Amino acid sequence: MPCRKPRQDKKTRLLSGTPQIAGGREFKGQAFVAKPDTILFKDFVLGKFYKRRILLTNVSLTFNSFKILDLPETVTDFFEISYERPGRMSAGMSVLLEITFMPKVNEDIITELSFLSSTGPFSIPLHCLTQTVAPKLNTNVVRFDNIVMGERVTFRLKVMNNGAKSTMFYFHDAATGKRIAPSEALTAATVAAAAAGSTTPGESEAAGLKSRSPSSPEGEQETKEDDIVEYLKTEEDLLAQAAAVGEACLEYPAGLSELQYSTVGSVGSYTETYHDITFAPLSPGRFKEERVLHFDHTEETIKLTIVATSIKVPIYVAEPVVDMKCCVYDKLYRKNVVVKNRGKISFKIFAKPPLELQDFVEFNPDMGFIQPDVDFEMKMKFRPSKDILAKCGKYAIPGKEVIAVPILVQVPEMALPVYYTLFARLTTGEVTFNNNVIDHGNCFISQSSMQVVKMKNNGRLPMRFGFVNLPKEVEVQPNDGFGALMPQEEKDVCIIVKPSSAVYRDLSLTVQTTMNLSSSIRIKYQGLETPLKFDHTVLKFASCCPGDKITHSVFATNTTKTSQTFEFAVPRPSQSFLRITPNVETIGPGATCRFEIEYCPPSSLLSSQEDGQAGDIDVTANDQGEPDNTEGDGKTEIEEEKKTGTEEDNMREPAAGLESDTLGSLKFFEGEVKKSYREDINEPWSVHSRWSLPCFVQGSSSDVPPIFIDVHTTLVKRILDIDTAHLDFGQLAVGQTKVLPLRVRNYGAVQAPLIPSGLNSTGPFCVVNAIRDVPPNDFQLLSLQFAPLAQGVRSEILTLSCPTLGKTLTITLKGKGVSPVLIVSPPGTTGVTCTGTAASITKIDQWATDASGKGDNLCKHVLAGDVGKSVLTLCNSSVFPLRYNLQTLGVVHENFNSKDCYDISPPEGQIDPGEEKNLEVVFQPDHERIWSYKFESKIEVPNQVEEHVVRLVGRCWNTQMYCVGAGGSGGGEDEEERVLEEMENRFKLPVKLKGVEEVASSEVGVQDPKREDIVLKFPKDDDTIEKGIVVGSIALNDPKMGSNGTFEIVLDKESPSAAFFAATPDKGSVSPGQEVQVTFKFTPPPKPGQDGSDSGSIEVGQWTKVLANVICKGGYKPEGAPDERVFKVLLIGYVNV
């Protein structure tokens, strides 16, 4: 046991090697390199001996040695290794090893020859291979690109065998795995003969066809020898017979196809062989075969793909069937036969008519060279005669007068011949009408009149016709008067007249046919001026969905000089879903009336969309939308509705004055409805309708037709929908935000991506959440925000586009940004405040002085010490609360107690939306002034648009009686206007301290300003003007303190001009709270000449003045005041001397 561990460690070191360090470097890697690096014994045979030598070189950094380890026990008896032992080998030294192989079993040996060196173990691969088959192809894909039909191209496939055994190979089908059996036609000899240049199947077939061609003399001889010709019965068979001449060249011989090759081959050992694969197409297209090659003596297989494409022959006729249409006997027809070259080189061609057509067909030119991608035109002249059918023989149908003759285009350089067919119908015929004179009668110039005539082709072959050189008033339908007639066919032709003026016309229409014949029809009509002119007579409504509503406006103008009453009738209102407003109206001469046509399909139609039905819409057309031409006019007439007792469901009662029999005799419920729904091709449900709305004019005779308006509607299924197309955010304060939801629904079967657009990036509207795709049959909720930046109504349109569904949704967003709106009562007017700013100024200058402050009598004057009251009303018309604050403007005259004489309460507060707030205004002066007490206060409201200012004006008197100018044009100039307010005595004291005031004023030299007179100045040249004053009595807070007052007007009798003035009344009494208007009249002496004296005297005059004293007595007076108070009025007038 003690010796086992050291032995094990030594063995481990030997197996792992010892690190080799030389020059400070440690060697890593394999220490010995063998040349060659693999010991290979290939294609060995049992019983023979094989030797191989290898050179083993030391590539380590210094001395090294090696030891050969034993081979595996299964193969150690097959090998002998001999070499000269070198001992320790220096770096770069080599030794030669000889290995002898003695095979004893016929099996491949794959092993390694292992060595043990000083730096570690290494090994050399040892391979012994038996004789095998190693097949290989030069390519696994055989390609034939763009081979022209009829040509043969051979590809030589190289099959190689890198093995020591010869082998046979076979072609197998890759799909089924079965071996492809060889046929007689595909033997190696056949394929080799074809490749060596023998006649191709196409060439031999073409040669045979040329011998059977109708152009060959042999074919003519056979026809002459056989007098019995079997004629075909139909045109299709005749064309097929002519086409079969060229198609016979495109048939493969029995057993051959487009790909021709032998399915069996062989290859020797270490040799190669070639296997031919031929592509001989007779039809264009792409061919592909998947094959697998199997080899003898090996299980290895090789896949082979054969891909071939063939193209059409370069020379061909653009029209395989040159249809001459309808040809009249003995007339000349020309046709360009276009020969095309789709190849890359030019070709020479010859054109020669066959024997059957030599007397009837000519070519010019009959020979030419066709360049690549250039059309070559040969002009063919065709002049048939009546004996052409007999000469064409089997290529004609004598009973139907139809020929179809194959014609050969000779191309010497092309393998396949080129044929085309001349097809012609021969006839003689003319066209006739059932009525050669058409009278349309009366017709409005803004409408059209249509009559149907029957047009018949008397020939036995189809023909084309056209109405040519039509007058501008005439239109022919269908197809604008052009069409075709089958043999013996009658066709309805609509002759439509559109008068351009109110005159009688007699016209002639010319009909030209392809027979080069013409005929004429006579047209007569009387044009009438329309009593009503519509700006639109055809309305095409946009597509809409059930539940939607579309409105169009139409203007009707009365073109006559009398009033016109009209009525519209809606055909089948329960099925057309149309409504006219108004449908009965009277229009004056030259007047214009607007009426609306609404299309309102009900939402109930949605329930039947999945079944492809149009609800209860009754359609007379079939499901494919083909109308039933009952009258040949190209229109579908809707059947009359079933009557259920009355005709109210079919039409309205006519308007007053319109005769019932007129409505009943006209077909005004015309229309057309086409429904469409095909689930197999995913065609969505839709209904397309056309309705004719007649307009009946009162007083029209029975031979005057109604005026029609055509309405086209389209009903489609709703795929992408929203809850509402109009989203109103209402009123919102500036600076605030409001979010509303919008639901987008997808009724389709595919996912709907939404692309928004239309919103202003800096506007008040935006989409808050992310817009994602709407899943099928699901919805998405959008959050739309409104954040007004300024006041006013804002509106934007949000567009949601879905390119996948081809739908677009538009949502109108509307909101109103509002600032606080304050309404002040009494209302104000725009003016300038005492600070010089513009504002809405509310003026309060009348005061209630009774005890309650709510007296019926308001006065502009207040007794000193009393209180006058008024009310200021503030109304909040906004949708949110409003806060206000009163701010005093300018300088306010104070009372003796240093308090303001005005007070407004409450000075600040909040007003709820839609509510009012009454503010109490108090006027409490304590002394008399010459001037009015004025006060201005600004009503401050945040974000208000217009500033509001309250202006308070009031006058104060020490006595109950007062006198002022009347004001206005009849008033005088009051003393308030004549004395500057800056002259006011600032040391003014109350009446009780008048003595103290006089002493103080005399000491400082300040005098109280004198009250000026009231001035009444009369104009110079107008003695009818009257001036006036107002004498009043103040209503006191305490009625017991005051009493009635009296006044008397005394003129200065000493003035000589006193006689010219008179006062009315000159005395009277005044009750508290009342005022008396006193009028002064000026009556000057007459001017010179007015009294009959000499008028030539010079006029001389002067201004005269008279003082009138207004003596007021009674009423309240302060203590110490005199019993009467005198107010002076200065009267001024112009007197002639």
Side-chain angles (χ1 to χ4, degrees):
M1 290 297 290
C3 297
R4 181 176 299 178
K5 181 174 177 52
R7 291 178 181 177
Q8 184 67 29
D9 294 341
K10 183 178 181 181
K11 183 178 181 180
T12 302
R13 285 194 303 270
L14 290 175
L15 291 177
S16 60
T18 302
Q20 185 184 81
I21 300 175
R25 290 191 306 152
E26 181 180 356
F27 176 76
K28 293 182 179 180
Q30 183 174 325
F32 290 87
V33 175
K35 185 177 181 181
D37 56 356
T38 301
I39 304 172
L40 177 63
F41 296 93
K42 186 178 180 182
D43 299 331
F44 66 85
V45 179
L46 297 179
K48 292 184 177 183
F49 293 88
Y50 301 93
K51 293 184 179 181
R52 293 287 185 272
R53 290 183 178 181
I54 63 173
L55 186 64
L56 198 63
T57 304
N58 178 16
V59 295
S60 63
L61 300 178
T62 182
F63 290 96
N64 209 332
S65 61
F66 68 88
K67 176 185 178 182
I68 300 177
L69 301 179
D70 295 336
L71 290 171
E73 295 181 358
T74 55
V75 298
T76 187
D77 296 335
F78 305 153
F79 297 94
E80 289 184 1
I81 302 173
S82 61
Y83 64 98
E84 187 175 338
R85 300 182 181 273
R88 293 183 67 202
M89 299 173 62
S90 62
M93 184 177 178
S94 301
V95 62
L96 188 66
L97 278 70
E98 184 178 82
I99 298 95
T100 302
F101 175 48
M102 299 170 292
K104 297 180 181 180
V105 292
N106 193 21
E107 294 179 358
D108 292 341
I109 299 174
I110 306 299
T111 183
E112 291 181 346
L113 180 60
S114 300
F115 296 84
L116 186 64
S117 67
S118 301
T119 57
F122 67 95
S123 62
I124 302 174
L126 176 61
H127 296 170
C128 302
L129 305 178
T130 61
Q131 292 184 351
T132 58
V133 174
K136 184 179 179 182
L137 302 179
N138 62 336
T139 180
N140 292 92
V141 179
V142 177
R143 291 185 178 276
F144 298 94
D145 293 331
N146 299 330
I147 307 303
V148 180
M149 292 171 49
E151 297 182 358
R152 298 178 59 89
V153 178
T154 301
F155 180 86
R156 308 203 72 189
L157 179 66
K158 182 189 291 187
V159 184
M160 297 171 285
N161 182 12
N162 295 328
K165 287 186 177 181
S166 302
T167 181
M168 295 287 293
F169 58 88
Y170 310 92
F171 285 80
H172 287 245
D173 191 346
T176 61
K178 296 182 179 180
R179 177 180 173 182
I180 301 176
S183 61
E184 296 180 0
L186 295 176
T187 60
T190 303
V191 175
S198 61
T199 303
T200 64
E203 292 175 348
S204 61
E205 185 66 19
L209 286 175
K210 290 181 181 179
S211 65
R212 298 190 297 271
S213 170
S215 303
S216 63
E218 292 79 6
E220 181 184 5
Q221 184 66 26
E222 293 176 2
T223 305
K224 292 182 178 179
E225 291 177 358
D226 191 359
D227 295 333
I228 301 176
V229 178
E230 294 183 1
Y231 296 104
L232 300 177
K233 296 182 180 181
T234 62
E235 296 180 2
E236 291 77 8
D237 294 340
L238 191 65
L239 289 171
Q241 175 185 262
V245 176
E247 292 175 356
C249 303
L250 304 177
E251 296 179 357
Y252 292 102
L256 290 181
S257 63
E258 60 276 352
L259 290 173
Q260 304 170 9
Y261 54 88
S262 175
T263 61
V264 180
S266 63
V267 59
S269 61
Y270 295 107
T271 59
E272 60 185 27
T273 185
Y274 289 94
H275 195 79
D276 292 341
I277 299 177
T278 302
F279 180 49
L282 294 179
S283 61
R286 184 176 184 272
F287 306 92
K288 182 178 181 180
E289 290 187 1
E290 298 284 348
R291 298 291 183 256
V292 178
L293 272 67
H294 290 253
F295 298 86
D296 292 340
H297 310 299
T298 182
E299 296 181 357
E300 183 179 356
T301 60
I302 301 177
K303 291 185 178 181
L304 178 65
T305 301
I306 304 175
V307 180
T309 56
S310 63
I311 59 175
K312 298 180 180 179
V313 292
I315 303 301
Y316 67 98
V317 180
E319 298 182 31
V321 177
V322 178
D323 190 356
M324 299 302 295
K325 306 299 180 183
C326 300
C327 300
V328 182
Y329 289 122
D330 299 324
K331 289 187 178 291
L332 177 63
Y333 298 90
R334 290 180 173 85
K335 183 76 173 181
N336 289 340
V337 178
V338 180
V339 182
K340 294 179 175 290
N341 180 8
R342 53 190 162 210
K344 298 182 179 180
I345 61 174
S346 61
F347 289 87
K348 182 179 181 180
I349 65 169
F350 296 92
K352 182 179 180 181
L355 294 177
E356 293 84 354
L357 300 177
Q358 282 185 353
D359 298 334
F360 315 108
V361 175
E362 295 180 8
F363 293 100
N364 186 22
D366 58 355
M367 186 272 292
F369 290 88
I370 306 180
Q371 301 300 324
D373 297 328
V374 177
D375 297 345
F376 183 81
E377 291 186 355
M378 296 184 297
K379 299 185 181 299
M380 182 179 65
K381 296 181 180 180
F382 180 54
R383 189 188 297 272
S385 62
K386 292 186 178 180
D387 58 347
I388 188 174
L389 297 175
K391 290 190 176 182
C392 287
K394 66 176 182 178
Y395 297 109
I397 304 178
K400 294 185 177 181
E401 298 178 311
V402 179
I403 62 171
V405 182
I407 301 178
L408 173 66
V409 178
Q410 299 179 10
V411 185
E413 300 176 1
M414 201 166 66
L416 293 179
V418 179
Y419 280 95
Y420 69 95
T421 302
L422 174 64
F423 179 73
R425 299 180 178 88
L426 309 174
T427 188
T428 58
E430 58 183 7
V431 60
T432 58
F433 298 91
N434 64 336
N435 186 7
N436 290 326
V437 179
I438 301 176
D439 189 359
H440 285 268
N442 297 323
C443 183
F444 293 122
I445 60 175
S446 63
Q447 300 284 303
S448 60
S449 175
M450 182 185 70
Q451 288 198 22
V452 180
V453 296
K454 292 186 179 296
M455 183 177 181
K456 184 178 180 181
N457 176 16
N458 293 323
R460 300 179 59 187
L461 296 175
M463 69 170 62
R464 299 182 68 84
F465 66 90
F467 287 79
V468 297
N469 300 325
L470 292 176
K472 64 179 181 179
E473 299 91 349
V474 180
E475 178 183 352
V476 181
Q477 294 296 338
N479 300 324
D480 295 329
F482 293 86
L485 289 172
M486 298 302 292
Q488 303 298 323
E489 181 190 8
E490 285 186 351
K491 176 168 287 188
D492 292 335
V493 178
C494 301
I495 308 297
I496 303 172
V497 173
K498 299 178 180 179
S500 59
S501 59
V503 295
Y504 176 79
R505 296 298 301 271
D506 192 340
L507 306 173
S508 178
L509 305 185
T510 301
V511 183
Q512 192 76 29
T513 68
T514 52
M515 299 293 187
N516 200 19
L517 300 175
S518 62
S519 57
S520 61
I521 304 176
R522 186 180 175 188
I523 305 296
K524 300 188 297 182
Y525 68 88
Q526 174 64 52
L528 298 177
E529 289 286 349
T530 176
L532 294 178
K533 182 179 180 181
F534 298 99
D535 60 342
H536 293 86
T537 56
V538 178
L539 298 179
K540 294 184 178 181
F541 284 74
S543 302
C544 69
C545 304
D548 292 347
K549 176 181 178 181
I550 301 180
T551 302
H552 273 287
S553 296
V554 179
F555 291 86
T557 303
N558 183 2
T559 59
T560 66
K561 297 181 180 180
T562 60
S563 298
Q564 299 289 342
T565 301
F566 68 91
E567 177 184 9
F568 277 97
V570 178
R572 301 198 179 191
S574 60
Q575 296 168 350
S576 65
F577 312 122
L578 294 175
R579 182 172 56 190
I580 303 180
T581 305
N583 67 333
V584 179
E585 188 60 71
T586 300
I587 307 178
T592 300
C593 175
R594 183 180 69 88
F595 60 91
E596 293 184 348
I597 301 178
E598 295 181 356
Y599 180 54
C600 308
S603 303
S604 58
L605 295 178
L606 291 170
S607 59
S608 57
Q609 286 182 3
E610 298 298 331
D611 299 330
Q613 303 294 330
D616 54 356
I617 296 180
D618 184 17
V619 295
T620 58
N622 52 25
D623 290 342
Q624 286 76 20
E626 299 178 358
D628 298 331
N629 294 330
T630 57
E631 295 184 1
D633 57 355
K635 297 181 178 180
T636 301
E637 182 178 347
I638 298 184
E639 300 177 356
E640 296 187 7
E641 297 180 355
K642 297 181 180 180
K643 299 182 179 180
T644 58
T646 65
E647 296 185 357
E648 295 180 358
D649 294 335
N650 295 338
M651 63 181 179
R652 288 171 39 87
E653 289 296 331
L658 295 179
E659 298 164 354
S660 300
D661 57 348
T662 303
L663 289 175
S665 61
L666 294 173
K667 299 179 180 179
F668 64 90
F669 34 85
E670 285 187 46
E672 182 179 7
V673 178
K674 296 179 182 179
K675 61 178 180 179
S676 177
Y677 178 70
R678 294 276 305 274
E679 187 176 0
D680 54 345
I681 60 175
N682 295 327
E683 180 179 357
W685 176 89
S686 63
V687 177
H688 306 267
S689 306
R690 179 194 58 79
W691 303 97
S692 295
L693 280 62
C695 175
F696 301 94
V697 181
Q698 182 180 9
S700 300
S701 59
S702 60
D703 58 344
V704 177
I707 307 172
F708 285 90
I709 293 180
D710 277 0
V711 178
H712 298 256
T713 62
T714 302
L715 194 62
V716 297
K717 181 180 178 181
R718 192 183 302 278
I719 298 179
L720 203 62
D721 193 16
I722 51 180
D723 293 342
T724 177
H726 300 275
L727 201 60
D728 193 351
F729 288 85
Q731 293 184 351
L732 188 64
V734 175
Q736 297 184 2
T737 60
K738 184 177 182 180
V739 178
L740 292 180
L742 179 67
R743 194 185 308 269
V744 182
R745 299 181 182 273
N746 179 13
Y747 296 103
V750 297
Q751 190 164 325
L754 300 178
I755 302 176
S757 62
L759 292 184
N760 187 353
S761 59
T762 60
F765 298 98
C766 67
V767 182
V768 177
N769 59 336
I771 300 180
R772 297 181 174 86
D773 297 348
V774 185
N777 295 318
D778 205 344
F779 67 90
Q780 183 190 1
L781 200 62
L782 303 182
S783 297
L784 304 180
Q785 177 180 287
F786 175 52
L789 305 176
Q791 70 168 358
V793 178
R794 300 293 183 267
S795 180
E796 294 184 16
I797 295 179
L798 171 62
T799 302
L800 298 176
S801 303
C802 180
T804 303
L805 302 178
K807 299 293 182 181
T808 300
L809 301 176
T810 57
I811 305 99
T812 301
L813 306 179
K814 182 180 180 182
K816 183 177 182 182
V818 295
S819 293
V821 180
L822 180 67
I823 299 177
V824 181
S825 180
T829 58
T830 303
V832 180
T833 65
C834 62
T835 59
T837 60
S840 176
I841 301 177
T842 299
K843 183 177 181 181
I844 300 178
D845 59 355
Q846 293 187 355
W847 310 94
T849 58
D850 57 351
S852 62
K854 299 180 181 179
D856 296 333
N857 297 325
L858 299 178
C859 185
K860 298 181 180 181
H861 308 269
V862 177
L863 184 67
D866 275 6
V867 177
K869 296 182 179 180
S870 184
V871 176
L872 178 67
T873 303
L874 304 181
C875 178
N876 179 14
S877 60
S878 305
V879 295
F880 47 86
L882 182 149
R883 293 196 62 83
Y884 73 91
N885 182 25
L886 298 179
Q887 297 180 0
T888 302
L889 301 179
V891 179
V892 182
H893 186 81
E894 298 178 346
N895 287 333
F896 289 141
N897 57 3
S898 299
K899 293 184 179 179
D900 292 338
C901 59
Y902 290 103
D903 180 62
I904 304 176
S905 62
E908 62 180 18
Q910 177 173 303
I911 307 175
D912 294 333
E915 298 295 331
E916 294 181 352
K917 193 174 190 66
N918 294 326
L919 306 184
E920 183 182 33
V921 183
V922 178
F923 177 37
Q924 190 175 7
D926 62 356
H927 61 278
E928 179 181 331
R929 296 178 72 223
I930 297 176
W931 308 273
S932 300
Y933 285 85
K934 297 180 180 179
F935 174 84
E936 288 187 2
S937 178
K938 177 182 177 182
I939 306 175
E940 183 68 27
V941 176
N943 297 325
Q944 64 179 348
V945 179
E946 183 181 21
E947 291 188 353
H948 294 272
V949 173
V950 180
R951 178 177 291 170
L952 306 180
V953 179
R955 297 193 70 172
C956 176
W957 303 89
N958 290 331
T959 60
Q960 189 174 3
M961 295 292 292
Y962 62 89
C963 178
V964 294
S969 60
E973 185 178 348
D974 202 354
E975 64 273 19
E976 180 182 13
E977 303 173 0
R978 303 178 62 192
V979 181
L980 297 178
E981 192 170 356
E982 289 78 2
M983 298 176 61
E984 182 179 9
N985 185 7
R986 301 301 177 183
F987 299 98
K988 188 73 175 177
L989 296 176
V991 179
K992 296 180 180 181
L993 301 176
K994 187 174 183 180
V996 180
E997 176 188 347
E998 293 176 354
V999 174
S1001 298
S1002 61
E1003 289 180 358
V1004 297
V1006 177
Q1007 299 294 328
D1008 194 20
K1010 180 181 178 182
R1011 182 180 291 274
E1012 295 290 336
D1013 301 334
I1014 299 175
V1015 179
L1016 301 180
K1017 185 176 182 180
F1018 293 88
K1020 178 179 179 181
D1021 297 327
D1022 190 356
D1023 54 1
T1024 61
I1025 300 298
E1026 296 180 349
K1027 299 288 184 177
I1029 61 174
V1030 175
V1031 179
S1033 176
I1034 301 174
L1036 305 182
N1037 293 158
D1038 186 1
K1040 296 179 180 181
M1041 293 176 56
S1043 61
N1044 294 340
T1046 62
F1047 69 92
E1048 181 181 1
I1049 299 176
V1050 179
L1051 298 177
D1052 186 5
K1053 299 300 182 180
E1054 296 179 358
S1055 175
S1057 301
F1060 303 143
F1061 297 94
T1064 305
D1066 57 353
K1067 62 177 64 176
S1069 63
V1070 184
S1071 301
Q1074 300 297 322
E1075 290 181 344
V1076 175
Q1077 182 82 23
V1078 178
T1079 304
F1080 289 89
K1081 184 173 180 58
F1082 174 58
T1083 308
K1087 295 180 181 179
Q1090 291 183 351
D1091 55 354
S1093 61
D1094 186 9
S1095 60
S1097 60
I1098 300 175
E1099 179 182 351
V1100 179
Q1102 65 179 4
W1103 290 97
T1104 182
K1105 299 182 180 179
V1106 176
L1107 184 62
N1109 294 323
V1110 181
I1111 303 173
C1112 298
K1113 299 179 181 181
Y1116 172 79
K1117 296 178 292 294
E1119 184 179 354
D1123 293 337
E1124 61 181 26
R1125 184 170 184 177
V1126 178
F1127 296 92
K1128 295 181 179 182
V1129 179
L1130 181 62
L1131 305 176
I1132 303 175
Y1134 188 83
V1135 178
N1136 294 309
V1137 179

